[in-house]
């Protein structure tokens, strides 16, 4: 297994697209988070004490952009080999298909977690620098605060699970364009559908089970009772999506010819 992981890491790190995508995860996440932090002010509240903005979640808003780059990374780690035909060489070197997929999952998740950690720390730092100038306290953005630490760790895990979901979809679909479209549809289209549903009960169900809206509940540090699903429960929903995607991809990967 160690040799398979080393081989997959070698392939992943030698692709120029890998480093561009990992850079995009950090830059897009931090940039959008900083923009969101700069767009709010206590001037918009009746008084500073009556501002109940969740500044932690606000600072981490950029995940909505960063997840697209993570999804593309997960997809390309699998579908790229089908596009170039190198999947046959991979399976010749490592005949066990389960080992190949597990090795890809390990390196893709590791890369996503590393980039996600930098992105989250950068976003919280940007919030600490920007929000006090707009009248907010920087104290809630400290990792010494329990809810903030949970939101930060949960967001990093969100990136890792998104990469696994994308890898599973790519193993299932094989085509790069089709897999990326599917992943982006799951991450962006399902939350958008919520706004088109007239029935409040169904809106809540979609929010509870859509991978992005459920998974990102882990970022909330205030008004948790108003969430459609709890922070860790929401992340567990995303984990279930990632597990189902990987399982379906593994079955297809094992049964179909390369």
């Amino acid at each position: 297994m160690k040799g398979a992981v080393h081989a997959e890491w070698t392939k992943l790190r030698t692709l120029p697209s890998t480093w561009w995508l990992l850079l995009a995860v950090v830059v897009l996440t931090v940039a959008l988070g900083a923009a969101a932090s700069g767009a709010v002010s206590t001037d918009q509240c009746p008084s500073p004490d009556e501002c109940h903005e969740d500044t932690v979640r606000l600072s981490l808003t950029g995940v909505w952009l960063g997840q697209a780059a993570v999804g593309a990374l997960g997809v390309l780690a699998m579908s790229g080999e089908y596009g170039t035909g190198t999947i046959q060489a991979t399976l010749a070197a490592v005949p066990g298909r389960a080992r190949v997929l597990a090795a890809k999952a390990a390196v893709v998740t590791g890369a996503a977690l590393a980039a996600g950690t930098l992105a989250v720390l950068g976003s919280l730092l940007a919030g600490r620098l920007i929000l006090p100038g707009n009248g907010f306290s920087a104290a809630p953005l400290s990792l010494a605060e329990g809810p903030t630490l949970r939101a930060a760790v949960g967001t990093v895990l969100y990136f890792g699970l998104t990469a696994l979901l994308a890898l599973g979809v790519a193993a299932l679909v094989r085509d790069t364009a089709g897999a990326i479209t599917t992943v982006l549809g799951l991450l962006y289209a399902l939350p958008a559908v919520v706004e088109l549903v007239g029935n409040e009960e169904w809106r809540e169900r979609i929010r509870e089970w859509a991978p992005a809206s459920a998974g990102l509940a882990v970022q909330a540090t205030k008004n948790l009772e108003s969430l459609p699903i709890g922070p860790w429960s929401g992340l567990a929903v995303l984990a279930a999506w990632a597990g189902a995607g990987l399982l379906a991809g593994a079955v297809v990967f094992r049964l179909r010819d390369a």
Side-chain angles (χ1 to χ4, degrees), residues 41 128-136:
S41 170
R128 287 180 64 87
L129 295 174
I130 295 170
L131 287 168
N134 295 344
F136 293 96

Side-chain angles (χ1 to χ4, degrees), residues 75-87:
V75 166
L76 290 174
M78 189 72 190
S79 65
E81 289 207 60
Y82 281 102
T84 59
T86 55
I87 188 64

Side-chain angles (χ1 to χ4, degrees), residues 222-234:
K222 290 184 177 182
N223 304 317
L224 301 186
E225 67 283 352
S226 65
L227 295 175
I229 191 169
W232 290 119
S233 298

Side-chain angles (χ1 to χ4, degrees), residues 27 46 118-119 126 163 251:
V27 172
L118 294 176
V251 170

Side-chain angles (χ1 to χ4, degrees), residues 4-5 9 50 61 66 80 111 136 143 145 176 191 194 212 226 231 236 239 241 245 247:
V5 171
W9 170 239
E50 294 182 75
T61 301
F136 293 96
L143 290 176
E145 297 289 328
T176 298
V194 173
S226 65
W241 276 92
L247 179 60

Side-chain angles (χ1 to χ4, degrees), residues 54-237:
D54 189 338
T55 53
V56 175
R57 191 170 196 172
L58 184 70
S59 298
L60 297 173
T61 301
V63 172
W64 281 103
L65 277 182
Q67 65 180 354
V70 167
L73 177 71
V75 166
L76 290 174
M78 189 72 190
S79 65
E81 289 207 60
Y82 281 102
T84 59
T86 55
I87 188 64
Q88 295 180 348
T90 295
L91 294 177
V94 185
R97 298 195 178 200
R99 277 200 298 160
V100 171
L101 189 59
K104 287 183 181 295
V107 298
V108 167
T109 303
L113 292 176
T117 299
L118 294 176
V120 167
L121 293 178
S123 297
L124 291 176
L125 177 60
R128 287 180 64 87
L129 295 174
I130 295 170
L131 287 168
N134 295 344
F136 293 96
S137 171
L141 295 166
S142 170
L143 290 176
E145 297 289 328
T148 302
L149 181 61
R150 184 253 299 152
V153 172
T155 301
V156 173
L157 293 176
Y158 178 91
F159 278 122
L161 290 170
T162 299
L164 285 177
L165 173 61
L167 180 68
V169 170
L172 182 64
V173 177
R174 296 192 176 189
D175 175 68
T176 298
I180 288 179
T181 300
T182 302
V183 171
L184 295 184
L186 290 172
L187 296 178
Y188 295 106
L190 282 181
V193 167
V194 173
E195 306 306 320
L196 303 177
V197 176
N199 185 285
E200 178 62 30
E201 182 179 352
W202 277 103
R203 280 204 299 269
E204 289 300 302
R205 287 183 181 179
I206 294 173
R207 291 191 184 103
E208 289 175 3
W209 295 106
S213 57
L216 289 177
V218 78
Q219 294 182 336
T221 62
K222 290 184 177 182
N223 304 317
L224 301 186
E225 67 283 352
S226 65
L227 295 175
I229 191 169
W232 290 119
S233 298
L235 200 65
V237 169

